[in-house]
Amino acid sequence: QVQLVESGGGLVQAGDSLRLSCAHSGRPFSNYAMGWFRQAPGKEREFVAAITWSGDSTYYAESVKGRFTISRDNRKNTAYLQMNTLRPEDTAVYYCAARFGMAQAVDLVTPSRYDYWGQGTQVTVSS
């Protein structure tokens, strides 16, 4: 089995930055594509960013392109989401997810296509 644990959330001002981390354990990390999703109160879970298992391709929601960067360190079994120029509308619980094996872009932006999920970490951006 795979366990994912997010950390790094917090309360920040608009324009500030945060880096979220997702620690992966249980099976070889490099075999999994990793994604970040978020869910704000009263809204559906939405795609934020994803990275392939090899790290050669990344994907971003239009709303975060140019501000957020997803990365992974397979040696540390950890995925990251660097969040810059945060906005109040970025406020949400952020979840990391892992998908095993081959994946296309449609797989990586769709929550139901992922195999494992973390517990979430709260990000609150004040104006």
Side-chain angles (χ1 to χ4, degrees):
Q1 294 184 338
V2 169
Q3 184 177 41
L4 305 175
V5 179
E6 302 97 332
S7 62
L11 173 63
V12 298
Q13 298 287 321
D16 286 352
S17 298
L18 283 173
R19 189 183 72 163
L20 306 183
S21 298
C22 177
H24 173 285
S25 64
R27 291 184 180 274
F29 180 63
S30 61
N31 290 341
Y32 292 84
M34 300 297 297
W36 287 96
F37 294 79
R38 66 188 182 187
Q39 187 166 21
K43 297 185 177 180
E44 295 183 351
R45 181 173 45 185
E46 66 174 351
F47 169 75
V48 177
I51 187 167
T52 56
W53 65 265
S54 63
D56 61 341
S57 297
T58 57
Y59 305 87
Y60 296 95
E62 188 66 28
S63 61
V64 306
K65 288 180 66 176
R67 299 189 298 122
F68 292 8
T69 302
I70 188 171
S71 62
R72 66 189 298 158
D73 186 336
N74 288 349
R75 181 178 61 84
K76 296 182 178 180
N77 291 344
T78 302
Y80 304 95
L81 184 68
Q82 179 66 44
M83 310 165 68
N84 297 330
T85 319
L86 283 162
R87 305 166 179 169
E89 54 264 42
D90 295 318
T91 295
V93 176
Y94 283 70
Y95 300 90
C96 71
R99 174 183 166 84
F100 180 77
M102 298 294 293
Q104 297 178 310
V106 65
D107 299 310
L108 300 183
V109 304
T110 305
S112 63
R113 305 294 182 89
Y114 283 79
D115 300 301
Y116 302 99
W117 292 86
Q119 84 290 345
T121 185
Q122 177 71 46
V123 172
T124 302
V125 185
S126 65
S127 59

